[in-house]
Amino acid sequence: VVFVIASLTDAIDGYIARNYNAISDLGKLLDPLADKLMVLSLMLSMLTKGIVPLSAIIILLIKEALMVIGGLFLLNKNKVVYAMPIGKISQFVVVLALISCFFSDFFIEKKLYVHIWLIWIGVALAILSLIYYSFININSLLKRPKK
């Protein structure tokens, strides 16, 4: 329940920020990071119960580390990376996967591994989002006029 409420309040917070023009560069960096920390902490908790595969967590940790390093590099170049639709969709699917993990006993009993499928779909989307962000931002750096 706490995870679902936190996820909903994050969505509401983003909606309010966009509609009231209360978006800041710092918020663009910290909000996605806070989202990822919340998700990864729940995933680690689910790992201890044998619900979430360690390999999925490792892949997401590496992806997020690369995103943070890339974001800091780009910030140093006066470019702020902000959430794009592919990243939001990826996050949504991972959150949905984690919510489904609360019902893992039911899914396992019925031999419907919905939670595992959703986790791997979320991981695949996260990898695609990393590739997309990399492509877009490397392209923008190469096109920038040199001073």
Side-chain angles (χ1 to χ4, degrees):
V1 172
V2 171
F3 179 72
V4 172
I5 291 171
S7 297
L8 289 173
T9 59
D10 178 56
I12 293 167
D13 168 57
Y15 174 80
I16 291 170
R18 283 187 299 280
N19 283 335
Y20 290 95
N21 201 23
I23 299 171
S24 69
D25 288 345
L26 183 61
K28 289 178 186 176
L29 292 173
L30 292 182
D31 187 63
L33 180 61
D35 297 344
K36 303 308 182 208
L37 290 174
M38 178 179 68
V39 163
L40 287 168
S41 64
L42 181 58
M43 287 183 91
L44 288 170
S45 173
M46 297 278 184
L47 173 69
T48 63
K49 296 181 185 285
I51 298 170
V52 173
L54 177 61
S55 51
I57 296 171
I58 290 171
I59 292 168
L60 288 176
L61 278 170
I62 291 169
K63 181 259 183 189
E64 292 309 324
L66 290 172
M67 291 290 286
V68 168
I69 291 166
L72 291 172
F73 173 78
L74 290 167
L75 188 60
N76 192 37
K77 301 281 184 190
N78 295 320
K79 179 162 176 46
V80 176
V81 177
Y82 54 91
M84 294 182 194
I86 184 71
K88 291 179 180 186
I89 292 168
S90 166
Q91 178 73 1
F92 175 77
V93 172
V94 171
V95 166
L96 192 60
L98 289 172
I99 291 169
S100 72
C101 283
F102 290 112
F103 306 99
S104 63
D105 290 341
F106 171 79
F107 292 133
I108 291 168
E109 181 183 308
K110 302 289 183 194
K111 300 197 185 305
L112 300 169
Y113 301 96
V114 173
H115 59 299
I116 299 298
W117 281 101
L118 284 172
I119 286 170
W120 286 114
I121 291 169
V123 169
L125 288 170
I127 292 168
L128 285 174
S129 73
L130 174 65
I131 293 166
Y132 181 76
Y133 281 92
S134 300
F135 177 78
I136 293 296
N137 288 300
I138 289 170
N139 236 6
S140 73
L141 283 177
L142 294 175
K143 289 181 180 177
R144 281 185 134 173
K146 300 206 169 50
K147 293 180 182 181

